Amino acid sequence: MPYEKLTRERILAAFALMGRYAAAEGVQLEIGLYGGTAMMLAFDARETTKDVDAIVRPADIGQRLAERVGREFELPADWLNASVRQFVSEKDRDGLIPLNTPKLEGIVLRRPSASYLLAMKAFACRTPLPGYAGDVDDLRFLCRKMNIRAIEEVERHLQRFYEHDVLTDRARAMLASILEPGKPARPD
């Protein structure tokens, strides 16, 4: 069965219910939102996302409440998942800012700054696959939003959050195709 495309309204409704459950338990959840959800909720860069990439603190309570809400909303078991953890910077907390949404009881939503999200997308640099857009559209959007015109500018953002990493050849080729239209998206 294909995944439901989650809209802004559906995600915020799920978080509102999670927050009410957390508040009833006397808990305040902090949810760092990444990937497509951050692109959608923070930047209006897309209409839907397939899942919610997030890091929830406290993790055990957040997972339990996400499972409960997922059952009630008939969402896939992994609708809220921490698979993004592999791309999170050691400086993660420095790059998260409050998400501008209506206040939710029991939950604080945070998202990466544009600089951090650009660095994450360039670091991950996932290529499109059938049924999966990869990172190229998000990178294109962020480069335009931030008025980035050269790969060296992206490298500065990457170094800010991933100081021991460099752009891969694949990332450089993808960025070249975005910043220099007409260039191939993949290295030869």
Side-chain angles (χ1 to χ4, degrees):
M1 178 173 90
Y3 272 56
E4 169 188 352
K5 291 184 177 182
L6 299 172
T7 63
R8 164 189 289 273
E9 293 76 21
R10 185 107 156 115
I11 291 169
L12 290 177
F15 282 149
L17 184 56
M18 263 182 84
R20 286 194 299 276
Y21 289 150
E25 293 184 20
V27 175
Q28 174 91 7
L29 296 175
E30 180 180 314
I31 302 179
L33 299 170
Y34 302 88
T37 305
M39 295 297 296
M40 181 175 58
L41 296 179
F43 301 108
D44 291 324
R46 56 173 71 177
E47 297 292 319
T48 63
T49 188
K50 68 179 178 58
D51 62 358
V52 177
D53 296 315
I55 297 180
V56 182
R57 292 179 180 96
D60 56 338
I61 296 170
Q63 181 63 39
R64 178 173 47 79
L65 295 179
E67 289 170 4
R68 181 177 176 187
V69 168
R71 284 190 302 274
E72 292 182 33
F73 275 60
E74 297 181 349
L75 296 169
D78 63 346
W79 76 274
L80 179 72
N81 66 77
S83 60
V84 71
R85 191 173 299 279
Q86 65 185 316
F87 300 111
V88 170
S89 165
E90 293 173 2
K91 299 178 180 183
D92 183 55
R93 293 233 177 192
D94 297 336
L96 293 181
I97 58 177
L99 182 64
N100 187 20
T101 59
K103 184 169 172 41
L104 298 173
E105 178 184 20
I107 288 184
V108 174
L109 297 176
R110 299 190 187 287
R111 54 105 171 165
S113 64
S115 176
Y116 183 17
L117 195 53
L118 175 72
M120 288 184 89
K121 292 286 185 176
F123 181 63
C125 196
R126 294 163 299 187
T127 55
L129 299 170
Y132 174 68
D135 290 316
V136 70
D137 289 339
D138 292 340
L139 281 165
R140 182 177 292 111
F141 176 89
L142 290 164
C143 285
R144 282 185 191 141
K145 176 177 181 41
M146 298 170 68
N147 200 28
I148 291 176
R149 299 180 191 275
I151 292 173
E152 294 76 21
E153 293 175 71
V154 176
E155 288 176 320
R156 283 194 290 275
H157 291 279
L158 182 76
Q159 288 302 300
R160 181 174 166 206
F161 294 97
Y162 304 96
E163 60 191 355
H164 302 293
D165 291 293
V166 296
L167 291 173
T168 63
D169 289 343
R170 181 177 65 202
R172 293 180 83 67
M174 186 181 288
L175 287 162
S177 74
I178 292 167
L179 299 170
E180 303 168 28
K183 284 205 171 183
R186 295 177 186 221
D188 294 331

